[in-house]
Amino acid sequence: MTTPTIMLIHGAFADSASFAPVTRLLLDRGFTVVVPAVPNRSLVGDAAYVRSIIERIDGPVLLVGHSYGGAVVTVAGAADNVVGLVYLAGYALEEGESLGELQGRFADSDLAAALVYTPFPQGDGEPGTDVSVEITAFPDVFAAGVDPQVTQVLAVSQRPLAAAAFGEAASVAAWRTKPGWGIVSAADHTINPDVERFGYKRAGLRRVIELDSPHLVMRSHPDDVADFIAAAAAEVS
């Protein structure tokens, strides 16, 4: 029996450092942890990039996806050496479904009114659009309950998500063949918590818990999140 490498996949408006407290806790428990920087350019491209990292790992991998990272692990998790998926306030998409389609079935969260759209140049010469959270709205919408000094840093160091990613369909739903676990952020103002509940139920996740947490659950409840991930790792070890 082999303990899996734990790969932590951040979402939109965040980067690998959003997992820093949980990364520290998992390393202290002796886990091998990988926390790649996700490009946040397209669901198809991001999933392919993450899968390329997964497939370079010798041995089983437990994938953990936060927010948009949940959509990424849903697709990248089809890699043969992935043994499980953990969703943190994340999107558990169905095959052929996009973020926009899933969200569109539920009432908007506070995020919709706090988004900023910024053009950026793409390599093919066509203009792209970056989506980020308005800096003054970031603490309440994304990270309420997190240390305000930390939140200020996170707000000005966001990793935007290209708008095109919202409309791209998942090419596969790895939860159909891999076991999964999920945490609902019950006080989420970025994703309607009902989106998380619906996706987890549809995916038939083995275990789902709810935390009275904002969207950035791994910052507000790092001990709970680390315990949850460790328990999932134990089940697949």
Side-chain angles (χ1 to χ4, degrees), residues 49-149:
Y49 175 74
V50 168
R51 181 165 179 164
S52 74
I53 299 171
I54 294 167
E55 292 178 336
R56 290 198 298 268
I57 294 173
D58 184 16
V61 174
L62 178 67
L63 271 184
V64 180
H66 172 250
S67 188
Y68 166 69
V72 174
V73 305
T74 295
V75 179
D80 289 342
N81 58 327
V82 171
V83 293
L85 311 170
V86 179
Y87 292 90
L88 307 178
Y91 293 102
L93 296 180
E94 175 60 282
E95 182 177 343
E97 182 178 60
S98 69
L99 296 174
E101 287 171 338
L102 177 55
Q103 287 193 139
R105 299 178 187 148
F106 299 87
D108 283 343
S109 68
D110 294 340
L111 175 67
L115 293 176
V116 177
Y117 299 87
T118 308
F120 72 90
Q122 299 186 111
D124 61 4
E126 293 297 318
T129 302
D130 262 342
V131 184
S132 59
V133 182
E134 204 281 318
I135 289 175
T136 59
F138 188 94
D140 289 336
V141 171
F142 201 73
V146 178
D147 182 334
Q149 289 191 318

Side-chain angles (χ1 to χ4, degrees), residues 159-218:
R159 193 178 189 97
L161 179 65
F166 288 97
E168 288 184 303
S171 58
V172 64
W175 48 259
R176 288 194 168 276
T177 57
K178 310 291 174 78
W181 297 260
I183 293 179
V184 174
S185 288
D188 202 329
H189 291 278
T190 298
I191 299 176
N192 183 333
D194 285 339
V195 174
E196 300 164 27
R197 295 180 183 112
F198 172 82
Y200 297 173
K201 182 176 180 180
R202 179 176 62 182
L205 302 188
R206 286 188 178 184
R207 181 176 179 234
V208 174
I209 66 170
E210 298 210 8
L211 296 176
D212 185 18
S213 168
H215 186 61
L216 208 59
V217 61
M218 63 277 207

